[in-house]
Amino acid sequence: MNKWKETAIKCLNDEADAISNLIPNIDDDFRKAVNLILECKGKVVITGVGKSGHIGAKIAATLSSTGTPSFYVSPLDMYHGDLGVVSSDDIVLAISYSGHTDELLKLIPSFDERQISIICMTGYRDSLLAQHSAACLCIYVEEEARPLRLAPTCSSTATLAMGDALACSLMVARGFKERDFAKFHPGGMLGKRLLTCAEDVMRKDNLPVASPDTPLGETVTLVSQGRLGICVAVENDTVVGLVTDGDIRRAIENSQSRFFDLTLRDIMTVNPKTVSRQTRIVEIDRILNTNNIHCVLVVDDKMHLLGVVDSFSTIL
């Protein structure tokens, strides 16, 4: 194996071990941190120096997008005039692997004076930062990744992972759902999929519809003309069944010369999958995949056919 490939694999294994070793640190202090944030009336202000600062900015973005208002501020900026951005209703998440970062320690008296609680992320529970924090999220790692074990690798990965664990726990505690997530991501593809409903993408014109008593010979033509691979059985303006091109092929194989004596009713699925016009695309995707089908019928509360959504319509 090439040395560069071997080194890369060792690095990933080292970092994977660092994350796994964090599991025992999901402890009472972690519970305290979650509760402090849930009870916070303001925002979570995240701060840290260097690599910790970069990771802190990412954690702030993750928290904000998952229902916990957060932002990152450099401790240097706070020490030189930006401390005013932190209100008495806020809570501070201070990140320092050593727990002795001077720029952070200098801010503690100001936070204490204003009774602003501190949650710290540090590798050392006995550090000065931990001693002045209401909760300590321990991110200790045995050593950094190979080959030199010097640059922040395992420790920075552990910090990032602990931040994600905190964000995920808060999501569950808040009952944060896909719809909530979409509100914070309206411009991206994910947000579009989460917000788009059946009525936004359904085909509603020239639908392949027939009476259940329609001969299968005519049904074949309707399926072909409809270009959806289906024909919907409607009786008294109500959906009563569905026939797919697969159903027709199986009917030809099984009935042979009797095929043209059969009607749509003889082979239709009596309870086809239906959704309302407000059903989200992500839910329709789940229905299609779970049932191994390629389309669903959009109906109202009286089973009147409104449209059809197929698998191609859900690709946004």
Side-chain angles (χ1 to χ4, degrees):
M1 183 183 298
N2 294 327
K3 286 188 177 181
W4 61 264
K5 185 174 182 179
E6 182 180 358
T7 299
I9 293 173
K10 287 179 179 178
C11 175
L12 292 176
N13 284 329
D14 288 341
E15 296 195 354
D17 289 342
I19 293 176
S20 296
N21 291 336
L22 289 179
I23 294 175
N25 295 339
I26 307 302
D27 52 15
D28 192 55
D29 267 60
F30 188 91
R31 179 191 60 79
K32 288 179 183 177
V34 171
N35 287 336
L36 283 168
I37 294 174
L38 289 175
E39 294 168 1
C40 176
K41 297 179 181 179
K43 293 180 172 60
V44 177
V45 181
I46 301 180
T47 188
V49 178
K51 301 292 190 301
S52 295
H54 297 314
I55 293 172
K58 188 275 177 186
I59 294 174
T62 299
L63 288 173
S64 292
S65 68
T66 53
T68 300
S70 309
F71 63 92
Y72 169 79
V73 184
S74 164
L76 296 174
D77 291 337
M78 281 196 281
Y79 193 68
H80 291 284
D82 287 351
L83 192 58
V85 301
V86 186
S87 75
S88 56
D89 289 331
D90 295 335
I91 194 167
V92 170
L93 174 58
I95 304 173
S96 167
Y97 186 77
S98 70
H100 294 283
T101 303
D102 187 57
E103 293 88 344
L104 289 178
L105 297 178
K106 287 180 179 178
L107 296 171
I108 289 176
S110 297
F111 295 145
D112 286 345
E113 183 179 356
R114 298 166 65 189
Q115 297 184 325
I116 296 172
S117 295
I118 302 171
I119 298 170
C120 72
M121 277 193 193
T122 178
Y124 301 95
R125 295 181 184 273
D126 59 351
S127 63
L128 286 174
L129 181 60
Q131 292 173 26
H132 288 85
S133 298
C136 174
L137 304 181
C138 186
I139 49 173
Y140 175 78
V141 298
E142 290 291 340
E143 50 193 354
E144 302 293 356
R146 288 168 278 189
L148 299 180
R149 299 195 185 277
L150 295 174
T153 46
C154 291
S155 59
S156 56
T157 299
T159 307
L160 187 61
M162 184 64 81
D164 288 341
L166 182 62
C168 289
S169 297
L170 289 165
M171 286 172 63
V172 172
R174 295 185 191 281
F176 195 82
K177 304 297 183 184
E178 287 182 340
R179 186 182 180 115
D180 302 309
F181 189 77
K183 292 177 183 177
F184 299 109
H185 299 77
M189 185 63 69
L190 179 59
K192 188 176 182 181
R193 285 181 58 78
L194 289 170
L195 292 173
T196 300
C197 299
E199 65 179 345
D200 299 320
V201 298
M202 68 184 184
R203 175 175 158 183
K204 50 190 177 182
D205 298 321
N206 302 318
L207 297 175
V209 175
S211 162
D213 298 317
T214 302
L216 286 188
E218 294 180 26
T219 303
V220 171
T221 302
L222 291 171
V223 171
S224 177
Q225 291 175 344
R227 297 174 183 268
L228 285 170
I230 63 169
C231 183
V232 184
V234 174
E235 191 170 39
N236 298 323
D237 203 28
T238 301
V239 173
V240 294
L242 177 74
V243 167
T244 68
D245 51 5
D247 294 329
I248 292 174
R249 286 195 301 272
R250 285 185 288 274
I252 293 174
E253 293 173 0
N254 296 331
S255 61
Q256 298 182 1
S257 61
R258 295 178 46 257
F259 176 78
F260 290 98
D261 297 328
L262 300 176
T263 66
L264 195 156
R265 189 190 302 274
D266 294 323
I267 67 169
M268 70 184 186
T269 299
V270 176
N271 295 305
K273 296 298 179 182
T274 61
V275 299
S276 74
R277 66 172 75 218
Q278 297 301 322
T279 303
R280 304 285 176 178
I281 289 299
V282 289
E283 173 61 15
I284 293 176
D285 263 341
R286 187 193 65 78
I287 294 172
L288 295 178
N289 293 328
T290 300
N291 295 279
N292 196 26
I293 55 178
H294 73 278
C295 68
V296 293
L297 307 181
V298 185
V299 298
D300 62 16
D301 56 358
K302 296 182 178 180
M303 288 298 288
H304 297 153
L305 183 65
L306 304 176
V308 175
V309 177
D310 63 8
S311 55
F312 294 105
S313 303
T314 64
I315 301 174
L316 301 177

